[in-house]
Amino acid sequence: MKTKNLYLAVVMLGIITWGCNKTNDSLSSVNSVSLKSSINTGVQNLTSAVNSISASPGYQVFTGANDLSTKSGVISPLDTLTQSIGLADIAGIYTYKATKMTRGHMSLMKFFTKTGVSSQMIVSLPESKVNSPRMLLRYTPADTLLANDYTVTVSDYLVKFNLFNSYDYKMASSIKIKDVDAGALQIQSTYGKNNGYMYSSEFDFPDGYSTKYLAASGDTAVSSYSINQGTKTLYQEKLTSIKTSTDLKHRERDYSLTIGNVLIERKLGIGQALDSAKVYVSGVLQLKSKVEIIDTSTDPTVDPTVTNQKRELKITFDDGTTATFSQLAGTVITNINSIFTSMHQVNFATNIVDMIAWDIYTKKN
C-alpha cells in the first residue's frame, strides 16, 4: 500500500512538474509577444503625443526664436555683487504700445506701458512680435494696428544672484494666444560655485500632455526627460552618474528608459561594474529577452542617452529576432530630441519676461 502511494506521488509530481514547465513556456511565449506589442503600442501613443505637442500653439513658447538676450544671462561687470528680483517688484499689467524710437538706449520698456495693477505680472504684446523678435525693438507705422493677442501671466518669479558665485531663478507662467490657452511653463534653475547647477522645466499643454526636463551636475549628476499624459508616463529616460575623489570623470550608476508599460534599466552592480540591462513589461521581468546598450558617442559634453541620439538599445526578443529601439520608434526620437533641446535653451517667452522685469527693477532702484 505504501509502495502504491509512493508510486502515485511520483507520478503526480511528474505531472505537476510537466505542467509547470508548460506554463512557464507558455508565459515565456506570451511575454515575448507582450514585449513586442507593448513597445509598438508605446511608440504609437508616444507618436500621437509628440504630433499633438508639435502642432499645438504652445509649442512655440519654448521653440520660438532666440534673438533677445536676458539680463539674468548677461550681467554687466558694473552690477553690484548681489541682486534679487521677486514677483512683488515687477507685478502689474504691461501692454505693448507702438512707439517711434530715437537713437540711444534701446530700453524694452519704451515699448510697454503699465496699464493696470495686479498681484501678478501680466504682459501683452502682438503675436507677430513674438514670431519675429528682432522686430520688437523696431517701429513701423503698421505696428499701431497690431492687436496685443499674446499674453504671458507670471504667477511666480525670482531672480537672485551673487556675481560670479551663485544664482537662483524661478518662473511660473501661463500663456494665451488670441484668448486661447496655450499652456503653462515652469522653470527653476540654481547654480553654486561649489555645488554645481540644477535646471528643470515643465510645460503643461491644455490637452493634458506635459513635457518635463531635469539636469543637475555635482558629484551625483542627473538628467531626466519625460512626456506624460495626465498621470500616465508615455516616455521617460533617466541617467544618473557619480564621481568620487578617485574618479577622473563621472561613471554611470543608474539608467532607465520607460515607454508605456515597458521598462528597460541598468544599474551599478557588485565590484562597481554595470549589470546587464533588464527589461520588464507591466512589472514582469522578461527572462529570455535581452537588451544591449550601445553608446554611439564619446563626447563628454553630451549625455549618452537615446533622447540625445547618443545611445542605442539593441533588443533581442524570445524568438531570437532583434531590433534597435530607433528602428522601432522611427522618427519620433528625432522629434523628441528637438523638444527637449528647446526646453533647456533660452526661449523668447522667458527672455521678454526677464528683460521687462530687469527694466522695471532697475528703474525702481
Side-chain angles (χ1 to χ4, degrees), residues 260-276:
N261 65 338
V262 176
L263 168 65
I264 298 169
E265 66 176 5
R266 181 172 70 176
K267 296 180 178 292
L268 202 62
I270 299 173
Q272 300 299 297
L274 289 168
D275 286 339
S276 298

Side-chain angles (χ1 to χ4, degrees), residues 118-143:
S118 174
S119 59
Q120 299 176 316
M121 179 189 186
I122 304 173
V123 179
S124 297
L125 69 160
E127 183 185 5
S128 60
K129 294 291 184 179
V130 176
N131 295 332
S132 301
R134 290 182 181 180
M135 299 303 297
L136 182 61
L137 299 179
R138 297 181 184 179
Y139 170 83
T140 64
D143 289 346

Side-chain angles (χ1 to χ4, degrees), residues 63-85:
T63 59
N66 300 320
D67 294 9
L68 295 175
S69 60
T70 66
K71 187 60 186 180
S72 58
V74 183
I75 302 171
S76 167
L78 299 178
D79 292 336
T80 57
L81 283 179
T82 302
Q83 298 281 2
S84 180
I85 308 173

Side-chain angles (χ1 to χ4, degrees), residues 77-125:
L78 299 178
D79 292 336
T80 57
L81 283 179
T82 302
Q83 298 281 2
S84 180
I85 308 173
L87 183 60
D89 298 310
I90 60 175
I93 301 173
Y94 301 90
T95 306
Y96 174 85
K97 182 179 180 181
T99 304
K100 290 183 179 181
M101 292 292 297
T102 57
R103 290 187 178 183
H105 175 59
M106 298 290 284
S107 169
L108 187 62
M109 283 306 295
K110 291 183 179 180
F111 290 91
F112 286 85
T113 302
K114 186 173 183 178
T115 57
V117 178
S118 174
S119 59
Q120 299 176 316
M121 179 189 186
I122 304 173
V123 179
S124 297
L125 69 160

Side-chain angles (χ1 to χ4, degrees), residues 169-182:
Y169 180 87
K170 180 172 59 175
M171 184 182 76
S173 62
S174 59
I175 297 94
K176 281 190 174 183
I177 302 174
K178 294 183 173 66
D179 290 325
V180 176
D181 288 334

Side-chain angles (χ1 to χ4, degrees), residues 68-268:
L68 295 175
S69 60
T70 66
K71 187 60 186 180
S72 58
V74 183
I75 302 171
S76 167
L78 299 178
D79 292 336
T80 57
L81 283 179
T82 302
Q83 298 281 2
S84 180
I85 308 173
L87 183 60
D89 298 310
I90 60 175
I93 301 173
Y94 301 90
T95 306
Y96 174 85
K97 182 179 180 181
T99 304
K100 290 183 179 181
M101 292 292 297
T102 57
R103 290 187 178 183
H105 175 59
M106 298 290 284
S107 169
L108 187 62
M109 283 306 295
K110 291 183 179 180
F111 290 91
F112 286 85
T113 302
K114 186 173 183 178
T115 57
V117 178
S118 174
S119 59
Q120 299 176 316
M121 179 189 186
I122 304 173
V123 179
S124 297
L125 69 160
E127 183 185 5
S128 60
K129 294 291 184 179
V130 176
N131 295 332
S132 301
R134 290 182 181 180
M135 299 303 297
L136 182 61
L137 299 179
R138 297 181 184 179
Y139 170 83
T140 64
D143 289 346
T144 58
L145 302 177
L146 296 175
N148 292 317
D149 51 5
Y150 188 105
T151 301
V152 181
T153 300
V154 181
S155 57
D156 194 8
Y157 192 81
L158 174 68
V159 176
K160 183 178 180 180
F161 57 85
N162 184 286
L163 201 60
F164 307 123
N165 285 317
S166 64
Y167 72 79
D168 290 282
Y169 180 87
K170 180 172 59 175
M171 184 182 76
S173 62
S174 59
I175 297 94
K176 281 190 174 183
I177 302 174
K178 294 183 173 66
D179 290 325
V180 176
D181 288 334
L185 172 66
Q186 299 180 59
I187 297 175
Q188 187 170 355
S189 180
T190 62
Y191 168 77
K193 189 174 182 179
N194 298 322
N195 300 323
Y197 70 86
M198 185 283 296
Y199 177 90
S200 67
S201 60
E202 176 179 347
F203 196 91
D204 299 320
F205 295 85
D207 57 5
Y209 292 117
S210 65
T211 55
K212 298 180 182 180
Y213 169 74
L214 169 68
S217 68
D219 292 338
T220 300
V222 180
S223 59
S224 177
Y225 316 81
S226 63
I227 297 175
N228 305 299
Q229 184 178 24
T231 59
K232 180 181 179 181
T233 300
L234 301 179
Y235 177 89
Q236 183 180 58
E237 186 174 28
K238 186 174 182 180
L239 175 67
T240 302
S241 303
I242 56 174
K243 183 179 180 181
T244 66
S245 58
T246 59
D247 294 322
L248 296 177
K249 60 180 182 179
H250 282 82
R251 295 180 295 113
E252 183 176 318
R253 188 190 71 186
D254 299 300
Y255 171 78
S256 65
L257 176 73
T258 299
I259 180 162
N261 65 338
V262 176
L263 168 65
I264 298 169
E265 66 176 5
R266 181 172 70 176
K267 296 180 178 292
L268 202 62

